[in-house]
Amino acid sequence: MDKTAIEKIIKQVLAELGKTSDAIPVELSARHVHLSRADMDTLFGFGENPTPAKELSQPGQFLSKERVRLIGPRGVIDNVAVLGPARPESQVEISLTDARILGIDTPVRQSGEIEDTPGIVLSSHKGIVGLDQGVIVAGRHIHMPAKDAARFNVRDGDRIKVRMNSSRPVVMEDVLVRVSDRFNLAMHIDFDEGNACGWKQGVPGTIVTNQEKVVEF
Amino acid sequence: MDKTAIEKIIKQVLAELGKTSDAIPVELSARHVHLSRADMDTLFGFGENPTPAKELSQPGQFLSKERVRLIGPRGVIDNVAVLGPARPESQVEISLTDARILGIDTPVRQSGEIEDTPGIVLSSHKGIVGLDQGVIVAGRHIHMPAKDAARFNVRDGDRIKVRMNSSRPVVMEDVLVRVSDRFNLAMHIDFDEGNACGWKQGVPGTIVTNQEKVVEF
């Protein structure tokens, strides 16, 4: 192999690395619930913990084998995933499509911000729980370790724009950046957002910076 | 009322007019079907026409009183609207969320482009029809009279970007412009797209032009 060919390959590899370094892996969040210790007890038996079935991208988080039914005033959704481990407060994350099916007027919130959110009824094969609050549509966000935040020049709490170069391309604005070294780099969108942009497994997002230039004379 | 007050009101009115002149009214397209003459006959009786229930924004188009069931290999969706009048070919417009429920791998297409699209079974209280093709997810588009096209400086067939300044703001790219004086100005998006941007009745779209500037020295 001659030098020119090697140089060509090196250039291609560098170009490829350049591409991937801009990319933010995107994950679709299906509807799911997080359960408090007390609600786990009611729904799955005293002292029962969520049974890990599959690791998720964020360290320590997992999909469990447990499933619940969501019961709203208008409709019911079965077989909804329970994520583990248990949390201080139960939280139900659905899409606006789900919200319509259930008949629950649900606000878009970031995870954990459940004050003044609507309640819901959860049932399992063992029990039933009425939550006074905790139903949200999760706002789009990016989990970002500090080293990536430095690389992208963003800070915890920033709201940024991310372009999805999918079959129905969109730029999502107002994407919350959450920086912590407990995170792996991943952008989370819900099923409505995924469908709206025709997202498929493996399509990354790229940060959009404002192109506006002020030219002074 | 003194002159200053009048001037203030005039300014407000002008500002409001300025706003609306940039705005493109947005409409959410719920799942629906268009039926051919022959399929109308099978589903609702020989010679029956769709019975107008409500005028739609595009001249001559209406929501009918007729409803059909969509039957896919995986699931069924009931009570789906039939739009009128009858068309040369039957066409079923669903969202990607619906496509998943029905179990039909459905491409995003513009209305009328049904070659090589999947089929579906439709049923009513009177009959059942198997379509060989015609199921699409409608690509986002804008119906635009020529005077608006001139105003926005776009042409029939252009693909443009439109920003939705809704609760989950997005810029939708690749929006098809369809220019005809048979149209009223309206952008059509589907329920997934509406949910993804938190669209509510009355929120308009605005065309985004590229901000990139080439500065020559």
Side-chain angles (χ1 to χ4, degrees):
Chain A
M1 196 182 274
D2 69 5
K3 207 184 151 199
T4 323
I6 292 172
E7 276 177 355
K8 201 178 160 194
I9 291 168
I10 289 174
K11 265 190 193 164
Q12 284 173 342
V13 170
L14 286 175
E16 210 52 48
L17 285 173
K19 263 189 223 162
T20 52
S21 75
D22 271 354
I24 297 173
V26 173
E27 295 174 346
L28 226 55
S29 286
R31 65 179 79 99
H32 64 269
V33 309
H34 302 277
L35 294 176
S36 68
R37 187 59 269 153
D39 292 338
M40 267 306 294
D41 288 349
T42 310
L43 290 167
F44 297 103
F46 184 74
E48 290 295 325
N49 280 310
T51 319
K54 193 185 155 202
E55 276 198 329
L56 299 177
S57 70
Q58 299 310 308
Q61 302 297 303
F62 58 88
L63 173 68
S64 82
K65 289 183 178 162
E66 285 71 23
R67 290 286 182 280
V68 293
R69 174 179 293 124
L70 308 183
I71 305 173
R74 186 177 179 202
V76 164
I77 299 178
D78 279 327
N79 200 35
V80 176
V82 176
L83 302 196
R87 290 200 178 179
E89 290 189 282
S90 292
Q91 178 174 297
V92 177
E93 298 182 37
I94 59 176
S95 69
L96 284 170
T97 297
D98 296 338
R100 199 184 161 88
I101 292 167
L102 295 166
I104 298 175
D105 188 15
T106 309
V108 178
R109 293 285 183 90
Q110 291 295 327
S111 185
E113 298 176 353
I114 60 169
E115 204 176 323
D116 294 326
T117 56
I120 194 167
V121 172
L122 307 178
S123 73
S124 68
H125 60 295
K126 280 209 170 169
I128 191 159
V129 158
L131 300 181
D132 290 334
Q133 59 177 25
V135 183
I136 65 169
V137 173
R140 46 208 183 212
H141 59 275
I142 303 175
H143 295 273
M144 200 182 277
K147 69 173 192 323
D148 290 309
R151 186 161 65 92
F152 291 127
N153 195 26
V154 295
R155 284 181 296 190
D156 186 57
D158 279 2
R159 301 275 177 164
I160 64 172
K161 299 179 188 180
V162 178
R163 182 164 190 274
M164 311 293 293
N165 190 17
S166 39
S167 62
R168 310 168 97 181
V170 301
V171 175
M172 297 189 182
E173 302 185 356
D174 203 28
V175 180
L176 179 67
V177 176
R178 297 172 59 191
V179 178
S180 164
D181 281 333
R182 293 177 297 111
F183 293 150
N184 286 321
L185 183 64
M187 174 166 172
H188 286 171
I189 60 176
D190 73 13
F191 263 67
D192 288 339
E193 293 171 320
N195 283 333
C197 67
W199 184 85
K200 292 245 158 75
Q201 185 69 38
V203 172
T206 45
I207 295 178
V208 176
T209 49
N210 276 330
Q211 302 287 346
E212 286 167 286
K213 288 171 188 163
V214 178
V215 182
E216 287 183 281
F217 293 95
Chain B
M1 195 182 274
D2 69 7
K3 206 185 153 200
T4 323
I6 291 172
E7 276 176 355
K8 201 178 158 193
I9 290 168
I10 289 174
K11 267 192 192 162
Q12 283 173 343
V13 170
L14 286 175
E16 210 54 47
L17 284 173
K19 264 189 223 162
T20 52
S21 75
D22 272 353
I24 296 174
V26 173
E27 295 174 345
L28 226 55
S29 285
R31 66 179 80 98
H32 64 269
V33 308
H34 302 277
L35 294 175
S36 69
R37 185 62 267 152
D39 293 338
M40 268 306 293
D41 287 350
T42 309
L43 290 167
F44 297 104
F46 184 74
E48 289 295 324
N49 280 308
T51 319
K54 193 185 154 200
E55 276 197 329
L56 298 177
S57 70
Q58 298 311 308
Q61 303 296 304
F62 59 87
L63 172 70
S64 82
K65 288 184 177 161
E66 284 73 21
R67 290 286 182 280
V68 292
R69 173 179 293 125
L70 308 183
I71 304 174
R74 186 176 179 203
V76 164
I77 299 178
D78 280 326
N79 200 34
V80 176
V82 176
L83 302 195
R87 290 201 180 180
E89 290 189 281
S90 292
Q91 177 173 297
V92 177
E93 298 182 38
I94 59 176
S95 69
L96 284 170
T97 296
D98 296 337
R100 197 184 163 87
I101 291 167
L102 295 166
I104 299 175
D105 188 15
T106 309
V108 178
R109 293 284 183 89
Q110 291 296 327
S111 186
E113 298 176 353
I114 62 170
E115 204 176 324
D116 295 325
T117 57
I120 194 167
V121 172
L122 307 178
S123 73
S124 68
H125 61 294
K126 278 210 170 168
I128 190 159
V129 159
L131 300 181
D132 290 334
Q133 59 176 25
V135 183
I136 65 170
V137 174
R140 45 207 185 212
H141 59 274
I142 303 176
H143 295 271
M144 199 182 279
K147 70 174 191 326
D148 291 307
R151 187 160 64 92
F152 292 127
N153 195 27
V154 295
R155 283 181 298 189
D156 185 56
D158 279 3
R159 302 273 177 166
I160 63 172
K161 300 179 188 181
V162 178
R163 182 163 190 275
M164 312 292 293
N165 190 19
S166 39
S167 62
R168 310 167 98 181
V170 302
V171 175
M172 296 189 182
E173 302 185 356
D174 203 28
V175 180
L176 178 68
V177 175
R178 297 171 61 190
V179 178
S180 164
D181 281 333
R182 292 178 297 112
F183 293 149
N184 286 321
L185 183 64
M187 175 167 171
H188 286 172
I189 60 175
D190 73 12
F191 263 66
D192 288 338
E193 293 171 319
N195 283 333
C197 68
W199 184 84
K200 292 246 158 76
Q201 184 70 39
V203 172
T206 47
I207 295 178
V208 176
T209 49
N210 277 331
Q211 301 288 345
E212 285 167 287
K213 286 171 189 163
V214 178
V215 181
E216 288 184 277
F217 292 97

